[in-house]
Each structure stands twice: as C-alpha cells, then as structure tokens.
Amino acid sequence: MSETHNFDDIIKQLQEKYTNIDQDTDDHLYGLLYSKPITYWDYIQTDALLNLQIQRTTLPDEMVFIAYHQINELIFKMILWEIQQVAEKEDLNVTFFENKIMRVSRYFDMLTTSFNIMREGMEIEQYMKFRYTLTPASGFQSAQYRMIEFASTELINLIDYRFRKTIDRNTPFEHAFEHLYWQAAGKDYKTGKKSTLLVNFEKRYKGDFIRFMQTYNTKNLWSRFKELPKKDQEDEDLVKAMRHFDYTVNITWVMAHYNAARHYIESGTGDGEATGGSDWKKYMHPKYQKRIFFPELWSTQELENWGENL
C-alpha cells in the first residue's frame, strides 16, 4: 500500500499565502490542475536567448564577438542584482556585505579571464573587417557597466580628476554628469563638441543615468559601508573584500579589456582607432583616470601608483 501523505499543513500555508495577498486559494489550486509541467527550455527561455545573436556580416567570428558581449551583459545584470541587495538591505551587517562583495568580485574575476576568448578566439583578419560595420557603436556604450560604477561608489570618485575640485554634493546631477571621467572619451572639452558615440549613448540613456545616480547617491556600496559601525568598517575580511573588488574592477578587468583591444587595434591591420572613435588608451588604461571606488581603503602610495607599471 502506498504511503498516504497529509497535506493539511501545506494547504494551510497556501491559504495564508494567498490570504495575505487578497487572493482566492481555490482559484490558484484549480489553476494547478491545468498548468503544464515546467521544462528547462521554457524556464531558461532557451529559444529566445539563442535567437538574439544577429550577425551583420558573413564572417564566422562575428558570432563569437556578439555572443561574448551578450554574455557580458548578462553577467553585468547579475552584478547589479547583488549590489541592489546591499543597497536596500535594512539590517546590513558585515557577513551579508562581505558575501555580496565577493560574489560580485567572482563575477568580475570570470569576466577578466574570459577576455582570452576575445583575444585568442577570433581571427584578426576577420575582426578587422566586421568591426567597420559596428561604427560608431562601442563597448563604451554598455549602460549596465555605467550603472555598476554609479552603484559602487560616491559620484565624486567617477568625476574626471581635472574637475573634481569644482564639484561637490551640492552640484546638480546634470552638471556632474557632464564631467564624468568617461565623457573624456567622446568630448572635446575645449569646444564642448561631443562625438556621435557619446551623442547616441546619451540620447538613449542619459535620463536613466540621472535617475540612477540620484537613487544610488546615498546607498551605493561605499555609502552603505560608511553606515556600518566603526568596528565593522575595520573588519579585516570585509576591508579585504572591498579592496579586492575595487582592484579587480578598476585594474585587473580593465587591463584585460585593454590588452584584448590592443591585440586587435594595434595589429597593424586597420587605422589603429576604436570603432567609436574614442581615445581608447587614455579612456581604458587605469593610470590615466585612476578610477578608484574606495580611495579611503588604499594608502597614499597605492593611490599614487594606481595603474602604473602595467
């Protein structure tokens, strides 16, 4: 005789669940009678996902380029998901904070090592042909990466170092936006003229960025860190995790990206310029902009030597 299960406790919990959201339990139970069992491909939306890689050329290695960048964007989404949990955590503590920071660091560690796929996974001749069909698009235009920066640190740490003394917490977000470090990759500060790369990027995302900057102005990772009790801010493991995250994002990952770009752009094939027309070396290399999320966690010497000798 098969064992008879008592589902009374489960039914009670279901009733409580649906009562709390003003729903009829019977309706939901009836729905279960007619619902289809879930499958892997439906849950992951495999068909939709695998139909997002649309090539602009007939060159095979363009598929590598497209899929790789789409994977990056999915990882960026996961990173923002983890940071959001820290930003919105009411009873934030060291253990939770460190756990989330290390998750994000592991994502960036993976992104760093994955650049070998870009560097060694495409034929230079193919890349230097299909890249022209991308103009004026550029990886510079990854909105999620910009949001990761906004969510990680106080805005002043993302301002072009030439203008930091003129900007503070009373500065309008619109003005601060015009002086972010990455504006230098697409703007002539003498004339104020912006490149098509930057114009298109801002037309699509500027409003979203301003709202995001406002949202994370007081709940970015550094702001949340400073809310912790002094003892927790001095926790050795948490500080180590914060430093690891900072270095991984702003040195290790950036340099992996820089070296992959240099492998192709300086291959001797083509004009030696980025697809978006940016001054890619000064934009990407950490020694120029000294992008540092948590400068207070580094020594004066470490700050001065940031990105040097790489």
Side-chain angles (χ1 to χ4, degrees):
M1 179 181 293
S2 61
E3 181 181 352
T4 301
H5 294 280
N6 187 336
F7 295 107
D8 290 349
D9 187 53
I10 295 176
I11 295 297
K12 181 180 179 180
Q13 292 181 55
L14 286 172
Q15 289 176 320
E16 291 177 355
K17 171 184 177 180
Y18 292 120
T19 298
N20 289 336
I21 59 174
D22 196 27
Q23 292 286 298
D24 190 307
T25 304
D26 288 351
D27 289 344
H28 286 274
L29 292 177
Y30 274 120
L32 289 174
L33 291 175
Y34 307 106
S35 63
K36 295 187 299 182
I38 191 68
T39 62
Y40 172 83
W41 49 92
D42 285 336
Y43 182 67
I44 302 299
Q45 292 292 298
T46 308
D47 292 341
L49 187 63
L50 298 182
N51 277 285
L52 294 175
Q53 296 74 47
I54 311 299
Q55 290 186 241
R56 293 172 60 86
T57 73
T58 58
L59 297 164
D61 283 353
E62 186 189 3
M63 180 61 73
V64 177
F65 188 83
I66 295 171
Y68 178 78
H69 282 82
Q70 289 182 346
I71 291 169
N72 276 6
E73 291 295 336
L74 287 174
I75 298 299
F76 288 159
K77 182 174 183 177
M78 295 167 71
I79 290 169
L80 284 168
W81 182 254
E82 300 294 346
I83 294 177
Q84 180 183 348
Q85 293 177 63
V86 175
E88 298 178 355
K89 182 73 169 174
E90 293 185 4
D91 54 339
L92 187 60
N93 58 69
V94 169
T95 302
F96 184 87
F97 206 139
E98 182 190 345
N99 178 270
K100 295 302 181 183
I101 290 292
M102 289 311 299
R103 281 193 188 186
V104 171
S105 291
R106 284 192 291 271
Y107 290 142
F108 268 106
D109 286 339
M110 182 175 69
L111 288 171
T112 299
T113 57
S114 73
F115 266 114
N116 286 333
I117 295 173
M118 279 282 287
R119 181 171 178 172
E120 309 297 338
M122 298 185 299
E123 292 183 6
I124 291 177
E125 292 77 9
Q126 288 192 41
Y127 173 76
M128 298 308 292
K129 290 177 181 177
F130 73 69
R131 71 189 293 268
Y132 287 108
T133 70
L134 308 179
T135 306
S138 168
F140 169 95
Q141 295 170 317
S142 171
Q144 287 197 113
Y145 181 68
R146 301 302 164 200
M147 291 178 178
I148 289 171
E149 292 182 317
F150 294 142
S152 294
T153 188
E154 293 181 343
L155 196 56
I156 191 65
N157 294 323
L158 300 176
I159 299 297
D160 189 313
Y161 66 91
R162 293 172 294 177
F163 307 104
R164 289 185 183 180
K165 292 182 179 179
T166 67
I167 292 176
D168 56 32
R169 280 199 167 275
N170 296 317
T171 301
F173 286 102
E174 288 269 354
H175 180 77
F177 181 86
E178 293 297 331
H179 294 82
L180 292 167
Y181 82 87
W182 44 263
Q183 289 270 343
K187 178 193 289 184
D188 185 331
Y189 276 107
K190 293 181 179 179
T191 64
K193 183 178 180 180
K194 298 183 179 183
S195 66
T196 301
L197 165 81
L198 196 55
V199 170
N200 290 344
F201 192 39
E202 292 184 0
K203 183 178 180 179
R204 172 63 180 84
Y205 289 113
K206 183 176 179 178
D208 295 335
F209 286 157
I210 296 296
R211 288 187 291 272
F212 197 87
M213 290 160 64
Q214 293 172 328
T215 298
Y216 277 87
N217 186 42
T218 57
K219 64 178 186 179
N220 56 74
L221 291 178
W222 182 243
S223 294
R224 296 301 328 256
F225 176 82
K226 291 193 297 183
E227 291 176 10
L228 295 172
K230 187 67 174 179
K231 180 180 178 182
D232 291 344
Q233 292 183 39
E234 295 173 351
D235 182 87
E236 184 177 340
D237 291 333
L238 178 57
V239 171
K240 183 178 179 180
M242 296 281 282
R243 282 168 54 93
H244 178 75
F245 170 65
D246 203 351
Y247 193 89
T248 299
V249 177
N250 293 312
I251 295 286
T252 311
W253 184 76
V254 171
M255 283 307 300
H257 192 178
Y258 175 89
N259 289 328
R262 186 172 62 178
H263 176 71
Y264 291 99
I265 296 175
E266 294 186 347
S267 65
T269 304
D271 54 16
E273 294 185 1
T275 54
S278 64
D279 187 346
W280 62 277
K281 289 184 179 180
K282 288 191 175 181
Y283 158 66
M284 293 179 69
H285 203 293
K287 73 179 182 179
Y288 292 108
Q289 289 295 338
K290 294 187 182 296
R291 289 160 286 190
I292 307 172
F293 290 156
F294 319 125
E296 289 86 346
L297 298 183
W298 301 92
S299 69
T300 301
Q301 184 176 4
E302 288 172 325
L303 294 174
E304 291 177 350
N305 295 329
W306 193 266
E308 298 290 343
N309 304 316
L310 295 175

